[in-house]
Amino acid sequence: MNSLPLLDRAEFDVALEELGDTPLTLALIDLDQFKNVNDTLGHIAGDAVLRTVERLLTRSLPAGSLVARIGGDEYATALPDTPAETALILLSEVIRHFQQPENRDPAWPTSLSMSVGLAYRPAHAQTLPDLMRAADAALYRAKVEGRGRACIYVESRMVLKSNYYPKASLERLSKLSAALGRTEASLLREALDDVAEKYRAEL
């Protein structure tokens, strides 16, 4: 079976730019509870999880798609000339395969799953940065709605981060995002997960 190449973040950005204004669906993919794998089973097990995800993505999506690891346990795909609804079906199938026993080590926690956020150009955004933000908002919704699922972007009124955080904190968040090669939203999600875990007894 032919596999798509796995790009890094820089290669992915260049490939997206080269597509010009081609209509496409952008998907951001994040592993749920991946940190637990590294913490309890070690980094070798964590690497095996990532290789499984990469194999599923590069072998499941149609020719012409772009697949990239953009940092940590975060991946992105771009599907040119593919409506969001079609991409949703394709990525939901990837999620389903990831949960199947034959694709998992029995030692992996059952909470380990995959969440996906999708956004379509031009319906949801015109520019690549805005498209990335829309897909990230959809990914956040997938997390909030229970993880282990794919969600398409739905426009909503967003509260600005600056309403909650002082400028100095936002500047540190921006620097950390750049240093780690991760989105600010993914770092905030990780922090929220840590808070929820810390106060689990109160929930």
Side-chain angles (χ1 to χ4, degrees):
M1 178 184 294
N2 292 331
S3 295
L4 298 167
L6 180 69
L7 309 177
D8 61 26
R9 178 61 184 265
E11 293 168 335
F12 184 70
D13 289 343
V14 170
L16 279 178
E17 291 287 352
E18 290 177 346
L19 288 173
D21 295 327
T22 301
L24 61 86
T25 293
L26 174 70
L28 294 182
I29 300 142
D30 185 79
L31 295 183
D32 306 313
Q33 307 297 333
F34 177 71
K35 185 174 183 292
N36 290 344
V37 176
N38 282 333
D39 290 348
T40 61
L41 301 177
H43 289 278
I44 292 177
D47 288 343
V49 171
L50 297 179
R51 299 294 86 77
T52 297
V53 171
E54 290 163 8
R55 184 176 65 252
L56 287 172
L57 290 173
T58 57
R59 295 184 181 180
S60 301
L61 300 179
S65 301
L66 305 175
V67 179
R69 183 180 178 190
I70 59 175
D73 60 325
E74 296 177 277
Y75 293 84
T77 70
L79 292 86
D81 298 311
T82 304
E85 292 77 10
T86 302
L88 178 69
I89 294 171
L90 292 170
L91 271 301
S92 294
E93 190 68 6
V94 171
I95 293 171
R96 188 180 71 81
H97 280 298
F98 183 62
Q99 294 302 119
Q100 291 179 340
E102 61 266 29
N103 292 319
R104 299 172 70 89
D105 187 312
W108 295 355
T110 57
S111 60
L112 177 67
S113 57
M114 186 188 300
S115 293
V116 180
L118 304 103
Y120 181 70
R121 182 177 70 188
H124 299 141
Q126 298 286 338
T127 69
L128 290 175
D130 285 346
L131 190 66
M132 190 72 72
R133 281 188 283 270
D136 198 64
L139 175 59
Y140 178 75
R141 185 161 65 88
K143 297 277 190 180
V144 169
E145 292 184 0
R147 303 188 176 98
R149 66 195 64 206
C151 288
I152 297 174
Y153 173 71
V154 176
E155 188 172 2
S156 62
R157 292 183 177 273
M158 304 274 300
V159 177
L160 294 176
K161 289 182 300 183
S162 56
N163 289 357
Y164 290 120
Y165 304 108
K167 182 178 179 181
S169 295
L170 291 176
E171 289 175 348
R172 287 197 296 271
L173 177 64
S174 179
K175 290 179 181 178
L176 185 59
S177 171
L180 296 177
R182 296 178 54 186
T183 63
E184 293 181 13
S186 75
L187 293 172
L188 289 173
R189 282 195 302 272
E190 181 178 318
L192 287 171
D193 284 344
D194 288 346
V195 169
E197 184 64 26
K198 180 178 179 181
Y199 295 105
R200 177 188 299 212
E202 309 299 324
L203 299 175

